[in-house]
């Protein structure tokens, strides 16, 4: 199947597009996913169980798909799916609020997918969870684990949109992630959720208000 070049700003959605929502954890992405899913036929949406088991499902499901969303890095989307995204969207959150949210999530989730992906070990993720269960935010800042989650969104953005920068430092990644972000047809801000949804309506050329 022929893949068109990925769209860049100020391009808008077209009915033939395959849309990927890069869900950066703790950015209200679950709410965004529900909004976006309402725009597509559910038969044309790739469900998580399908994405995680591509070989167990007919190829036609993925070739005809119009939408996929998830915490999927670039390499997984491009390796697993026969059709590549035409239009990629994402949401970001104010960094301090995001860092605090990640900390609170680590306290309640022993299998945080991001931790497992970083460490390639479920047991290590569980150990971090156990160590942080009764910790304060300052304890977390002083811990050896804190560095794993610094500049979270910059790393996730770069890794979600390309597989070329795995060994780059945070200082090297920042201008790359900024360039990637500004090239996207759309990105939203969690703290300006309603305004972001209004912009989303413009990208999809919708003449009715999307639910917020």
């Amino acid at each position: 199947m022929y893949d068109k070049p990925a769209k860049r700003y100020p391009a808008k959605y077209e009915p033939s597009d395959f849309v990927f929502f890069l869900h950066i954890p703790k950015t209200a992405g679950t709410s965004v996913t529900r909004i976006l899913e309402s725009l597509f036929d559910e038969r044309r949406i790739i469900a998580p169980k399908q994405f995680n088991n591509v070989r167990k499902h007919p190829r036609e499901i993925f070739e005809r798909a119009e939408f996929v969303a998830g915490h999927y890095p670039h390499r997984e989307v491009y390796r697993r799916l026969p059709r590549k995204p035409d239009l990629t969207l994402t949401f970001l959150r104010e960094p301090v609020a995001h860092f605090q949210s990640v900390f609170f999530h680590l306290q309640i989730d022993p299998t945080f997918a991001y931790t497992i992906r970083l460490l390639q070990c479920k047991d290590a993720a569980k150990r971090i969870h156990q160590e942080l269960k009764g910790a304060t935010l300052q304890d977390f800042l002083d811990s050896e684990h804190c560095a794993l989650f610094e500049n979270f969104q910059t790393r996730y953005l770069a890794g979600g949109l390309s597989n070329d920068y795995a060994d780059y430092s945070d200082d090297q990644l920042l201008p790359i992630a900024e360039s990637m972000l500004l090239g996207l047809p759309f990105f939203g801000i969690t703290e300006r959720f309603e305004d972001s949804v209004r912009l989303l309506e413009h990208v999809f050329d919708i003449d009715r208000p999307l639910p917020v």
Side-chain angles (χ1 to χ4, degrees):
M1 176 176 290
Y2 171 70
D3 293 309
K4 298 175 289 184
K7 290 187 171 182
R8 294 179 59 83
Y9 179 83
K12 297 173 69 175
Y13 168 78
E14 297 175 282
S16 61
D17 286 342
F18 176 38
V19 178
F20 170 42
F21 174 55
L22 172 62
H23 180 179
I24 299 175
K26 316 313 297 178
T27 59
T30 301
S31 297
V32 178
T33 298
R34 284 197 293 265
I35 292 171
L36 288 168
E37 285 179 341
S38 72
L39 304 177
F40 299 93
D41 184 327
E42 63 180 10
R43 295 169 297 182
R44 299 297 180 96
I45 297 172
I46 298 176
K49 64 180 180 181
Q50 293 172 327
F51 184 88
N52 292 326
N53 295 280
V54 169
R55 293 181 181 179
K56 294 184 179 180
H57 299 278
R59 183 180 176 88
E60 290 76 16
I61 289 176
F62 306 100
E63 291 180 338
R64 293 183 298 181
E66 297 176 352
F67 180 68
V68 64
H71 304 304
Y72 308 136
H74 175 274
R75 63 181 178 276
E76 293 300 323
V77 173
Y78 277 70
R79 181 175 64 86
R80 297 187 189 191
L81 302 182
R83 184 180 180 188
K84 314 312 176 193
D86 302 302
L87 191 150
T88 297
L89 319 169
T90 196
F91 257 69
L92 299 176
R93 188 173 181 180
E94 192 278 322
V96 174
H98 184 268
F99 187 84
Q100 290 175 317
S101 183
V102 168
F103 165 64
F104 294 135
H105 190 81
L106 288 167
Q107 290 185 305
I108 64 173
D109 185 358
T111 57
F112 187 24
Y114 183 72
T115 316
I116 294 171
R117 184 179 298 155
L118 282 175
L119 302 176
Q120 296 294 305
C121 178
K122 286 187 177 181
D123 289 340
K126 290 178 180 178
R127 284 197 300 273
I128 291 176
H129 162 71
Q130 288 295 330
E131 290 178 23
L132 295 179
K133 278 177 69 174
T136 66
L137 182 58
Q138 187 61 55
D139 293 333
F140 181 42
L141 290 169
D142 294 336
S143 76
E144 62 180 322
H145 309 305
C146 182
L148 289 172
F149 303 95
E150 292 175 349
N151 298 310
F152 186 115
Q153 296 178 95
T154 298
R155 297 176 187 177
Y156 216 99
L157 185 65
L161 299 181
S162 175
N163 196 35
D164 296 335
Y165 309 108
D167 299 323
Y168 279 47
S169 69
D170 287 346
D171 287 343
Q172 291 172 312
L173 277 180
L174 181 58
I176 293 168
E178 287 179 340
S179 177
M180 287 177 168
L181 187 66
L182 293 175
L184 292 181
F186 168 88
F187 67 90
I189 303 295
T190 305
E191 286 76 15
R192 299 188 62 179
F193 195 82
E194 290 192 24
D195 290 337
S196 296
V197 173
R198 300 290 83 84
L199 287 174
L200 198 58
E201 293 164 1
H202 173 71
V203 172
F204 280 83
D205 199 21
I206 296 171
D207 57 6
R208 58 180 172 83
L210 290 171
V212 177

